[in-house]
């Protein structure tokens, strides 16, 4: 089958997440990157594009130009990946959606609630698909956990513990002049009002909701900016109340020395418990109450269909972050091909989109508002 | 050196913690159990005493009787271990303290703030020592962690994550008629207003404060009773604010399937992080920011004097819960011998006593009050 | 840069390792699969090719045909991946090498020593590159370990412990009629005289030699076929003597329940020790003698240049089996481009080729011979 | 019940294993140390005895004197613990056995086969019990493993992997003049012809046989002395053939940096596999073939009667080395009390004694002989 023609906005040289998206798009051979507005300055965009082997004629100086030109080419892009800082997500996505080009967008949805509303309108107005790369939902054992909970293996959910500690902002990396990542992610103009809650807390929130199938109704957030001069939170302690009575805690931090990318989820119900850690993603611990703990492994004896459907290698041959990310792209490809045939593929039920994005934005907004009121309960 | 003559209140047949205290008292050969009021019914007390090889004449029907009689014997007990349900701690301890018999008391201090005040007065009025068995502070690697933090190895403390999940009350064990433990621990009359926060949350709070050297100033607690009909909390989510600006979270649960006795502490400072888990107590993870994580082991290459002082076997020969508990008894023995010689042994600085007990009671009380106000901030 | 045009021999539907090679070739965007002799029956070859989106004209019924036709096309393949059962490796590779098409070949080199000699001659006679996918050498932390040992971090090597247990042949899977993998891997005609020693023992041997930089001089092997009727070994216990005096043990098994793909290497020297496990490949444990153990992580604080050179994502974003495999392909691409420019790229020093392949064949042969003599020492 | 009066031979100041025996004897309150020949020089013996609170009149200058005097006291010792260097085990044990004093002796049985024969005769000639502290058999999860295998949970045993690496002799500690342990354990006169094989290889061998219920029939051993000048082996690689067809490997080392006390056992059968590691002794991994791996924990949901019988604390309250050791003493107490009542307690079936001791001596002897013949197969 021919590959889906893909464009990219953002993701020029030295951009971490752009390279990740490109690999994720390549792993299953479903996409071919053919155009890019890889940087906000035209020359840089061209340089980055050339380094990637793009046709110079399809290296654009702006996403507007790319959307316009590509939408008129017979061989124009069918989908676009948006991997810019958050405040660009909205306008960029809108530009492609209105031209019926499918959008795969990095999370969070946008930088502000106002931007979010505009984007939501654009998504609703378009026939094209909008997929948000909450990539951690792509891990096979996360799919398994979701399926097990939906099947009742844990009984009614009582307690959700989710955390996402990192340590890369333990010192004031944004002031050294050499760390672009640190700069934009701690700049509320580009990143949004949430610092750690926007960057990683939103992943933790999304993962907890995805796996449990529950929405957060209320939260109480105590946000901190431990590093002097930092303009956004770099650590957050959050109490959660889910619909239906489950309760939870969410901790995210960028100042926890020894934690690299410590996303970890534990869910406890009336009948059993599950534990999963992103850094060791091929394992899922399951304890039916009153029985020994079981180590479920990707493609191992206890793996279920939901996990196996997004797994490439046999048990014991570890898959990682890129494969999990690629599962979002593989799902997107499947949904895009169906859409091109005028159908809705059920894989869309598993892929984060507008709804998850809105929930995420409300989560970030609620965190910031709650913390401003000394951790008062705020309804999402 | 002659062993210290020890009595015991509570701890009859089938009582978990009484047997633990007895082993802890024996491990280092510093104590000899010679008397007991092991049960609240005289016959049971005698039966339990005989099973332990006690002189029947020193098996008492009540702690009052034991205190009176033993204090008049020339070979009477020098110290007493109190291992009853919480509401008995206060009167029992007072009975011995006023007769100058040293008291080693299980935690928490008492069941209510009123009882606590009475006990505090009794302790202050007595020359005898009062030691509270917050036994987890006895683990060598916990002593090491405290020492490292006091020495500045982590810099200023920013974040404290402490948790203590168990699963033994996932179902309504207190209604089966066969689980005495479950019965009194979920009975507010005997246990106090706190359920999980009193039983294990208090350990978690104590450990966090012991290791960091910081007191909790304020907390916001969301307590739950997930099991229908349960009269006290069986799960609690708590936000912490420490003196000096550190923030924390505390989770305790008795309804988390797959968790046996999952006390775990993580502390993060400006310069590094520490992690420790009670179920694997011979390990302490230390990450100086910007360096690889190091696995410090009991009596291993990275063990410090504070750890080595309470360690009995070489590295790789694991010590456990009983040895950690025994370290409290060994410290108590040292302090008692010094007291008998008219001196104050500096080991008392490491042993939990009235101050830690009061902090614990204030913690439990604050949790209950905060939760009653929908998790409002409460000052301890 | 234009992608390298790649063909594939073997790897049709249901073939595990063919799919792995294709993903590995895609991850870094350096290769484009354009032709295939994917099966030994022409129709199946065409079906498999179509499923992969290949031009039907370039789906061949035999590798001979593919070699001939492709070598004459102006846009013919520049490299070929050979992923057949072992006995086909030799003739297939020779067919392409003599037409100056670079070969990337699955391990082991061939099925017999005689085939090996023929292939060695073909490799030496050709200008084209021959790269053997001992893929475990592509893991970043394995590259790091090799570099650390070469730099003297462990001092003189004394002890090498390497093991590779699996459990998939615990029962007689080759007799069920539904497991092609089990069938050819236990058939000495197609697999070679070694069963577990050929399939996975050869990986373990290769990894030990790659990391330590030492060759095995002698071995004593005790091979077993535990499953009744099995025609090759399914478990092997091997003593190793390395050049320079180091000693080792190698265990490989296909009948060890609970082991999925448990390749694990430990190396101990005069000054320190290293430990690595394939199922958790982002970690490398390093203990300088007399210091605490350190957990080195991929792209973490302790990662060295050798690891970082083959790493795509930040620390804590786990890479896995496919990325390690892709590192062999990335290296091959680099070497092929250099070769096309008339140069030798130093990456070839890190890539397994004829020499590693010969060592592997001698290892398998020595195991079989030693075991036939009741585990007598055999010189490689 | 009155405590059993215990004497001790060896175990003076600074002796590691003597202190361990004393704690093990105290933990369950079954023994009271009342006499000692703690050192080979009378003054040291007295000093050490006083430090332990022994009656100076019962601190003897030699074991002969102690045996003679104590056997004539009405309150003389009922049992003796022998914790000297290996070459003293035989004569000391004989002195007590012939006076009908029960013997608890550290392993290995003796230093030489000749000494072993003499001791075996003494044991057979006496009514008193002889118990050898192969303490690792006392761990609850080891008892569980033995019971599971005897019950057929693994089916027929195929493969046994056992290892015991340490690192404390990585350098020439025996030449510093400050390490008594290192001195006698590397002195063939005091320790026996085996170095690492005698000290720890014998534990590994014993554990493998205890758990599987199988005896080693033949072995092939490659012993090394890596540290220049060392007079005994400090590393050993051994192939094992068990009765009934199971095969195994045993590695022991004292020169493996990063390994503290790494005794580890893995057993694989037709139907499942088990894994256990001494440094984390409360866990036992069990994989029934074709099912997910289960983590069995001491006193957890999957613990069996054999484990529970020797367990003191609830699941999650870790027990360690000393409790495992104490289980040998608790068993000895039970057997001694039965013997005093003229009965044989079935606990003796679980306690290592002469038979295990002989097997251990034959193992050590076979290792040394095999290695002297270039790792030829030697029958035990």
């Amino acid at each position: 089958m021919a590959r889906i023609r893909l464009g990219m906005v953002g993701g020029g040289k030295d951009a971490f997440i752009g390279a990740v998206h490109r690999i994720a798009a390549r792993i299953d051979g479903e996409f071919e990157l053919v155009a890019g507005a890889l940087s906000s300055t035209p020359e840089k965009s061209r340089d980055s594009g050339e380094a990637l082997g793009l046709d110079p004629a399809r290296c654009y100086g702006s996403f507007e130009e790319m959307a316009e030109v590509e939408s008129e080419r017979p061989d124009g892009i069918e989908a676009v990946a948006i991997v810019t800082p958050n405040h660009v997500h909205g306008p960029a996505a809108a530009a492609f959606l209105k031209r019926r080009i499918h959008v795969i967008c990095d999370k969070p949805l946008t930088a502000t609630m106002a931007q979010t509303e505009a984007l939501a309108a654009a998504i609703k107005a378009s026939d094209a698909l909008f997929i948000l790369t909450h990539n951690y939902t792509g891990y096979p054992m996360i799919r398994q956990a979701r399926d097990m909970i939906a099947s009742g293996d844990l009984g009614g959910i009582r307690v959700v513990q989710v955390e996402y500690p990192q340590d890369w902002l333990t010192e004031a990396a944004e002031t050294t002049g050499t760390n672009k990542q640190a700069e934009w992610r701690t700049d509320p103009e580009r990143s949004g009002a949430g610092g750690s809650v926007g960057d990683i807390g939103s992943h933790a929130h999304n993962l907890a909701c995805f796996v449990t199938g529950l929405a957060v109704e209320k939260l109480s957030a105590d946000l901190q900016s431990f590093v002097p001069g930092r303009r956004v939170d770099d650590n957050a302690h959050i109490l959660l109340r889910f619909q239906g009575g489950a309760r939870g805690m969410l901790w995210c931090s960028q100042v926890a020395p020894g934690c690299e990318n410590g996303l970890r989820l534990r869910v406890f119900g009336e009948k059993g418990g599950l534990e999963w850690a992103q850094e060791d993603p091929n394992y899922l611990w399951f304890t039916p109450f009153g029985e020994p703990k079981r180590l479920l492994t990707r493609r191992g004896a206890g793996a279920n269909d939901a996990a196996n459907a997004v797994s490439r290698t046999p048990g014991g041959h570890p898959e990682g972050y890129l494969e999990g990310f690629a599962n979002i792209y593989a799902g997107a490809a499947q949904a895009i091909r169906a859409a091109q045939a005028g159908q809705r593929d059920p894989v869309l039920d598993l892929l984060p989109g507008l709804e998850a994005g809105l929930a995420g934005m409300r989560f970030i907004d609620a965190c910031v508002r709650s913390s401003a009121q000394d951790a008062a309960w705020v309804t999402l």
Side-chain angles (χ1 to χ4, degrees), chain A residues 120-146:
Chain A
I123 293 170
K124 285 173 188 159
S126 172
D127 286 346
L129 298 174
F130 178 85
I131 289 156
L132 197 68
T133 52
H134 268 303
N135 58 291
Y136 297 112
T137 65
Y139 273 117
M141 299 318 283
I142 284 297
R143 296 284 177 94
Q144 166 135 1
R146 174 188 165 95

Side-chain angles (χ1 to χ4, degrees), chain A residues 243-324:
Chain A
Q243 66 184 134
R247 303 290 175 96
M249 291 175 102
L250 187 155
W251 169 47
C252 60
S253 185
Q254 295 161 327
V255 295
C259 299
E260 292 187 331
N261 198 40
L263 177 59
R264 185 173 173 229
L265 177 67
R266 292 176 287 178
V267 183
F268 304 95
E270 295 162 347
K271 292 168 51 183
L274 284 175
E275 303 172 47
W276 180 83
Q278 190 273 150
E279 296 188 357
D280 301 294
N282 296 277
Y283 305 115
L284 177 67
W285 295 93
F286 172 45
T287 311
F289 179 62
E291 296 184 24
K293 196 173 288 243
R294 299 172 193 172
L295 177 56
L296 307 180
T297 57
R298 198 185 48 72
R299 280 276 175 97
N304 65 17
D305 290 349
N308 290 337
V310 288
S311 193
R312 291 163 191 80
T313 52
H317 297 69
E319 295 194 4
Y321 176 84
L322 293 168
E323 286 79 17

Side-chain angles (χ1 to χ4, degrees), chain A residues 37-61:
Chain A
L38 301 169
S39 170
S40 48
T41 57
E43 311 87 76
K44 276 197 193 170
S45 185
R46 218 145 295 156
D47 283 1
S48 292
E50 260 177 79
L52 294 171
L54 293 187
D55 176 351
R58 297 176 82 173
C59 296
Y60 302 94

Side-chain angles (χ1 to χ4, degrees), chain A residues 340-371:
Chain A
Q340 290 172 338
Q343 288 159 352
R344 183 190 182 281
D345 193 288
V347 74
L348 282 170
D349 298 336
L350 285 169
L351 294 179
L354 175 59
E355 195 183 347
L358 286 173
M361 291 305 295
R362 284 186 203 114
F363 165 79
I364 298 168
D365 181 63
C367 288
V368 172
R369 284 192 293 130
S370 170
S371 195

